[in-house]
Amino acid sequence: QKEVEQNSGPLSVPEGAIASLNCTYSDRGSQSFFWYRQYSGKSPELIMFIYSNGDKEDGRFTAQLNKASQYVSLLIRDSQPSDSATYLCAVNVNSGGGADGLTFGKGTHLIIQP
Amino acid sequence: DAGITQSPRYKITETGRQVTLMCHQTWSHSYMFWYRQDLGHGLRLIYYSAAADITDKGEVPDGYVVSRSKTENFPLTLESATRSQTSVYFCASSTSKETQYFGPGTRLLVL
């Protein structure tokens, strides 16, 4: 059974600070890792994906992957009130050409305090 | 650019009724997915499809039926709705194992 674990929060971070969101996964065969943001009442939207160990940066966002520890994180620099949302970690085991869906964590509720 | 749409956006039905949720995408993505989202469970995969006429079960398929006669459409049918199927349903599509794009969701209430 594939499992993806996240702290549900809420995680409260002052505006302008770095928000750090963490995720662990159970399946060592996992190949692809995704972070989605979901505002209340809205659908998930992709922020970043990462496949290789290390860091991947995109603007204010940095995804970090450590396959040995089965750990993936998302850092948000210069946090803004508009970053307040639920952040979903998702994992795909399939390394081949097909897509068999994602396994999601339950999400971390992030609150950026002005 | 319509992207991916779902209909209806809101639905109230009664136990035992058949309900069909529609999903349509304009990107010609090969892969399509149905998820449900419930408090305490997060998003869970119901069914997915790699191409027209190819479908497979996800984590929670019981009580649901899907079909995919055309690449752009992926309807989800609840054959006999139960209260436990009250949820928010999201359709998603992708070109591969990477980025999945989600539709706006359908909120279903089964009385």
Short mmCIF file of all heavy atoms in Angstrom, two decimals, chain B residues 56-91:
data_model
loop_
_atom_site.label_atom_id
_atom_site.label_comp_id
_atom_site.label_asym_id
_atom_site.label_seq_id
_atom_site.Cartn_x
_atom_site.Cartn_y
_atom_site.Cartn_z
N ASP B 56 -8.71 1.53 -16.06
CA ASP B 56 -8.23 0.65 -14.99
C ASP B 56 -8.64 1.20 -13.65
O ASP B 56 -8.86 2.42 -13.50
CB ASP B 56 -6.72 0.49 -15.06
CG ASP B 56 -6.26 -0.86 -14.54
OD1 ASP B 56 -7.05 -1.53 -13.83
OD2 ASP B 56 -5.12 -1.24 -14.82
N LYS B 57 -8.74 0.30 -12.67
CA LYS B 57 -9.18 0.69 -11.34
C LYS B 57 -8.08 1.37 -10.56
O LYS B 57 -6.91 1.05 -10.69
CB LYS B 57 -9.64 -0.56 -10.57
CG LYS B 57 -10.84 -1.25 -11.16
CD LYS B 57 -11.20 -2.49 -10.36
CE LYS B 57 -12.42 -3.20 -10.96
NZ LYS B 57 -12.77 -4.42 -10.19
N GLY B 58 -8.49 2.31 -9.73
CA GLY B 58 -7.59 2.94 -8.81
C GLY B 58 -7.76 2.38 -7.42
O GLY B 58 -8.07 1.20 -7.24
N GLU B 59 -7.61 3.25 -6.43
CA GLU B 59 -7.64 2.82 -5.03
C GLU B 59 -9.05 2.51 -4.53
O GLU B 59 -9.25 1.60 -3.73
CB GLU B 59 -7.02 3.92 -4.17
CG GLU B 59 -6.96 3.62 -2.69
CD GLU B 59 -6.44 4.80 -1.87
OE1 GLU B 59 -6.01 5.81 -2.47
OE2 GLU B 59 -6.49 4.72 -0.63
N VAL B 60 -10.05 3.27 -5.00
CA VAL B 60 -11.41 3.15 -4.45
C VAL B 60 -12.45 3.04 -5.57
O VAL B 60 -13.30 3.91 -5.73
CB VAL B 60 -11.74 4.35 -3.53
CG1 VAL B 60 -10.98 4.25 -2.23
CG2 VAL B 60 -11.45 5.68 -4.22
N PRO B 61 -12.45 1.96 -6.37
CA PRO B 61 -13.32 1.87 -7.53
C PRO B 61 -14.74 1.35 -7.26
O PRO B 61 -15.63 1.50 -8.12
CB PRO B 61 -12.58 0.88 -8.42
CG PRO B 61 -11.93 -0.04 -7.44
CD PRO B 61 -11.53 0.83 -6.27
N ASP B 62 -14.96 0.76 -6.08
CA ASP B 62 -16.24 0.09 -5.84
C ASP B 62 -17.40 1.07 -5.91
O ASP B 62 -17.39 2.11 -5.26
CB ASP B 62 -16.22 -0.62 -4.49
CG ASP B 62 -15.24 -1.78 -4.47
OD1 ASP B 62 -14.83 -2.22 -5.57
OD2 ASP B 62 -14.89 -2.25 -3.38
N GLY B 63 -18.44 0.68 -6.66
CA GLY B 63 -19.63 1.51 -6.79
C GLY B 63 -19.57 2.49 -7.95
O GLY B 63 -20.54 3.22 -8.17
N TYR B 64 -18.48 2.48 -8.67
CA TYR B 64 -18.29 3.41 -9.79
C TYR B 64 -18.04 2.64 -11.08
O TYR B 64 -17.48 1.54 -11.07
CB TYR B 64 -17.09 4.33 -9.55
CG TYR B 64 -17.17 5.15 -8.29
CD1 TYR B 64 -16.55 4.71 -7.12
CD2 TYR B 64 -17.84 6.37 -8.27
CE1 TYR B 64 -16.62 5.45 -5.95
CE2 TYR B 64 -17.91 7.13 -7.11
CZ TYR B 64 -17.29 6.66 -5.96
OH TYR B 64 -17.35 7.41 -4.81
N VAL B 65 -18.44 3.26 -12.19
CA VAL B 65 -18.19 2.71 -13.52
C VAL B 65 -17.70 3.85 -14.40
O VAL B 65 -18.19 4.98 -14.30
CB VAL B 65 -19.48 2.11 -14.13
CG1 VAL B 65 -19.22 1.66 -15.56
CG2 VAL B 65 -19.97 0.94 -13.29
N VAL B 66 -16.73 3.55 -15.25
CA VAL B 66 -16.24 4.56 -16.18
C VAL B 66 -16.27 4.00 -17.60
O VAL B 66 -16.32 2.78 -17.81
CB VAL B 66 -14.80 5.02 -15.85
CG1 VAL B 66 -14.76 5.78 -14.54
CG2 VAL B 66 -13.84 3.85 -15.86
N SER B 67 -16.19 4.90 -18.54
CA SER B 67 -16.06 4.53 -19.94
C SER B 67 -15.25 5.61 -20.62
O SER B 67 -15.16 6.74 -20.13
CB SER B 67 -17.44 4.41 -20.60
OG SER B 67 -18.11 5.65 -20.57
N ARG B 68 -14.66 5.26 -21.74
CA ARG B 68 -13.90 6.26 -22.49
C ARG B 68 -13.95 5.90 -23.97
O ARG B 68 -13.02 5.31 -24.51
CB ARG B 68 -12.46 6.36 -22.00
CG ARG B 68 -11.75 7.58 -22.59
CD ARG B 68 -10.71 8.09 -21.68
NE ARG B 68 -10.00 9.22 -22.28
CZ ARG B 68 -8.69 9.35 -22.27
NH1 ARG B 68 -7.93 8.42 -21.69
NH2 ARG B 68 -8.12 10.40 -22.81
N SER B 69 -15.04 6.27 -24.59
CA SER B 69 -15.21 5.99 -26.01
C SER B 69 -14.49 7.02 -26.88
O SER B 69 -14.10 6.73 -28.02
CB SER B 69 -16.69 5.93 -26.37
OG SER B 69 -17.31 7.15 -26.02
N LYS B 70 -14.30 8.22 -26.34
CA LYS B 70 -13.58 9.28 -27.05
C LYS B 70 -12.46 9.80 -26.16
O LYS B 70 -12.62 9.86 -24.94
CB LYS B 70 -14.51 10.43 -27.42
CG LYS B 70 -15.57 10.09 -28.44
CD LYS B 70 -16.38 11.35 -28.79
CE LYS B 70 -17.40 11.04 -29.87
NZ LYS B 70 -18.19 12.25 -30.23
N THR B 71 -11.37 10.18 -26.76
CA THR B 71 -10.21 10.65 -26.01
C THR B 71 -10.56 11.80 -25.08
O THR B 71 -10.07 11.88 -23.96
CB THR B 71 -9.09 11.10 -26.96
OG1 THR B 71 -8.71 10.01 -27.78
CG2 THR B 71 -7.87 11.61 -26.19
N GLU B 72 -11.45 12.68 -25.53
CA GLU B 72 -11.69 13.91 -24.78
C GLU B 72 -12.68 13.78 -23.63
O GLU B 72 -12.79 14.68 -22.82
CB GLU B 72 -12.16 15.02 -25.73
CG GLU B 72 -13.47 14.72 -26.46
CD GLU B 72 -13.24 14.08 -27.81
OE1 GLU B 72 -12.22 13.37 -27.98
OE2 GLU B 72 -14.09 14.29 -28.70
N ASN B 73 -13.40 12.66 -23.57
CA ASN B 73 -14.44 12.51 -22.55
C ASN B 73 -14.17 11.32 -21.64
O ASN B 73 -13.75 10.25 -22.12
CB ASN B 73 -15.81 12.34 -23.20
CG ASN B 73 -16.23 13.56 -23.99
OD1 ASN B 73 -15.93 14.69 -23.62
ND2 ASN B 73 -16.92 13.34 -25.09
N PHE B 74 -14.46 11.50 -20.37
CA PHE B 74 -14.23 10.42 -19.41
C PHE B 74 -15.32 10.49 -18.34
O PHE B 74 -15.10 10.98 -17.24
CB PHE B 74 -12.84 10.57 -18.79
CG PHE B 74 -12.37 9.38 -17.99
CD1 PHE B 74 -12.67 8.08 -18.37
CD2 PHE B 74 -11.58 9.56 -16.86
CE1 PHE B 74 -12.22 6.99 -17.64
CE2 PHE B 74 -11.11 8.48 -16.12
CZ PHE B 74 -11.43 7.20 -16.52
N PRO B 75 -16.51 10.01 -18.63
CA PRO B 75 -17.60 10.08 -17.65
C PRO B 75 -17.45 9.07 -16.52
O PRO B 75 -16.94 7.96 -16.72
CB PRO B 75 -18.84 9.78 -18.50
CG PRO B 75 -18.33 8.98 -19.65
CD PRO B 75 -16.95 9.47 -19.92
N LEU B 76 -17.91 9.47 -15.36
CA LEU B 76 -17.90 8.62 -14.17
C LEU B 76 -19.35 8.41 -13.74
O LEU B 76 -20.06 9.38 -13.53
CB LEU B 76 -17.12 9.28 -13.04
CG LEU B 76 -17.10 8.56 -11.69
CD1 LEU B 76 -16.19 7.33 -11.75
CD2 LEU B 76 -16.65 9.51 -10.57
N THR B 77 -19.76 7.15 -13.61
CA THR B 77 -21.13 6.84 -13.23
C THR B 77 -21.18 6.16 -11.89
O THR B 77 -20.43 5.21 -11.64
CB THR B 77 -21.80 5.94 -14.30
OG1 THR B 77 -21.86 6.65 -15.55
CG2 THR B 77 -23.21 5.56 -13.87
N LEU B 78 -22.05 6.67 -11.04
CA LEU B 78 -22.37 6.00 -9.79
C LEU B 78 -23.64 5.21 -10.07
O LEU B 78 -24.69 5.77 -10.33
CB LEU B 78 -22.62 7.02 -8.68
CG LEU B 78 -21.42 7.78 -8.11
CD1 LEU B 78 -20.79 8.71 -9.12
CD2 LEU B 78 -21.83 8.54 -6.85
N GLU B 79 -23.52 3.90 -10.08
CA GLU B 79 -24.63 3.06 -10.54
C GLU B 79 -25.83 3.13 -9.60
O GLU B 79 -26.97 3.16 -10.03
CB GLU B 79 -24.17 1.62 -10.69
CG GLU B 79 -23.10 1.46 -11.79
CD GLU B 79 -22.75 0.01 -12.01
OE1 GLU B 79 -22.18 -0.59 -11.07
OE2 GLU B 79 -23.03 -0.51 -13.10
N SER B 80 -25.58 3.15 -8.31
CA SER B 80 -26.62 3.24 -7.30
C SER B 80 -26.03 4.02 -6.14
O SER B 80 -25.36 3.46 -5.27
CB SER B 80 -27.06 1.84 -6.86
OG SER B 80 -28.04 1.94 -5.85
N ALA B 81 -26.26 5.32 -6.15
CA ALA B 81 -25.57 6.21 -5.23
C ALA B 81 -25.84 5.85 -3.76
O ALA B 81 -26.97 5.49 -3.37
CB ALA B 81 -25.97 7.65 -5.50
N THR B 82 -24.80 5.97 -2.96
CA THR B 82 -24.90 5.77 -1.52
C THR B 82 -24.41 7.03 -0.81
O THR B 82 -23.68 7.84 -1.39
CB THR B 82 -24.05 4.59 -1.06
OG1 THR B 82 -22.66 4.89 -1.29
CG2 THR B 82 -24.42 3.31 -1.80
N ARG B 83 -24.81 7.21 0.43
CA ARG B 83 -24.40 8.40 1.18
C ARG B 83 -22.89 8.50 1.30
O ARG B 83 -22.32 9.60 1.35
CB ARG B 83 -25.05 8.40 2.56
CG ARG B 83 -26.54 8.63 2.53
CD ARG B 83 -27.10 8.92 3.92
NE ARG B 83 -28.54 9.10 3.88
CZ ARG B 83 -29.42 8.12 3.98
NH1 ARG B 83 -29.01 6.87 4.15
NH2 ARG B 83 -30.71 8.38 3.94
N SER B 84 -22.22 7.38 1.35
CA SER B 84 -20.75 7.39 1.47
C SER B 84 -20.07 7.93 0.21
O SER B 84 -18.86 8.20 0.22
CB SER B 84 -20.23 5.98 1.76
OG SER B 84 -20.49 5.12 0.66
N GLN B 85 -20.84 8.09 -0.86
CA GLN B 85 -20.29 8.66 -2.09
C GLN B 85 -20.46 10.17 -2.15
O GLN B 85 -20.07 10.80 -3.15
CB GLN B 85 -20.91 7.98 -3.31
CG GLN B 85 -20.49 6.52 -3.44
CD GLN B 85 -21.14 5.82 -4.61
OE1 GLN B 85 -22.37 5.88 -4.79
NE2 GLN B 85 -20.34 5.13 -5.41
N THR B 86 -21.01 10.75 -1.11
CA THR B 86 -21.01 12.21 -1.00
C THR B 86 -19.56 12.68 -0.92
O THR B 86 -18.81 12.23 -0.04
CB THR B 86 -21.78 12.65 0.25
OG1 THR B 86 -23.16 12.37 0.07
CG2 THR B 86 -21.58 14.14 0.52
N SER B 87 -19.18 13.54 -1.83
CA SER B 87 -17.77 13.91 -1.92
C SER B 87 -17.60 15.02 -2.95
O SER B 87 -18.57 15.45 -3.60
CB SER B 87 -16.95 12.69 -2.35
OG SER B 87 -15.57 12.96 -2.29
N VAL B 88 -16.37 15.47 -3.09
CA VAL B 88 -16.00 16.33 -4.21
C VAL B 88 -15.20 15.47 -5.19
O VAL B 88 -14.22 14.82 -4.79
CB VAL B 88 -15.16 17.54 -3.76
CG1 VAL B 88 -14.82 18.42 -4.96
CG2 VAL B 88 -15.91 18.34 -2.71
N TYR B 89 -15.63 15.48 -6.44
CA TYR B 89 -15.01 14.64 -7.45
C TYR B 89 -14.22 15.51 -8.41
O TYR B 89 -14.72 16.48 -8.96
CB TYR B 89 -16.07 13.86 -8.22
CG TYR B 89 -16.73 12.80 -7.36
CD1 TYR B 89 -17.81 13.11 -6.55
CD2 TYR B 89 -16.25 11.50 -7.36
CE1 TYR B 89 -18.40 12.15 -5.74
CE2 TYR B 89 -16.84 10.52 -6.56
CZ TYR B 89 -17.90 10.85 -5.75
OH TYR B 89 -18.48 9.90 -4.96
N PHE B 90 -12.96 15.13 -8.60
CA PHE B 90 -12.08 15.84 -9.52
C PHE B 90 -11.66 14.93 -10.67
O PHE B 90 -11.25 13.79 -10.45
CB PHE B 90 -10.82 16.34 -8.82
CG PHE B 90 -11.05 17.47 -7.87
CD1 PHE B 90 -11.07 17.26 -6.50
CD2 PHE B 90 -11.24 18.77 -8.34
CE1 PHE B 90 -11.28 18.31 -5.62
CE2 PHE B 90 -11.46 19.82 -7.47
CZ PHE B 90 -11.47 19.60 -6.10
N CYS B 91 -11.75 15.47 -11.84
CA CYS B 91 -11.21 14.83 -13.03
C CYS B 91 -9.87 15.49 -13.33
O CYS B 91 -9.68 16.69 -13.06
CB CYS B 91 -12.18 15.03 -14.19
SG CYS B 91 -11.65 14.34 -15.75
#
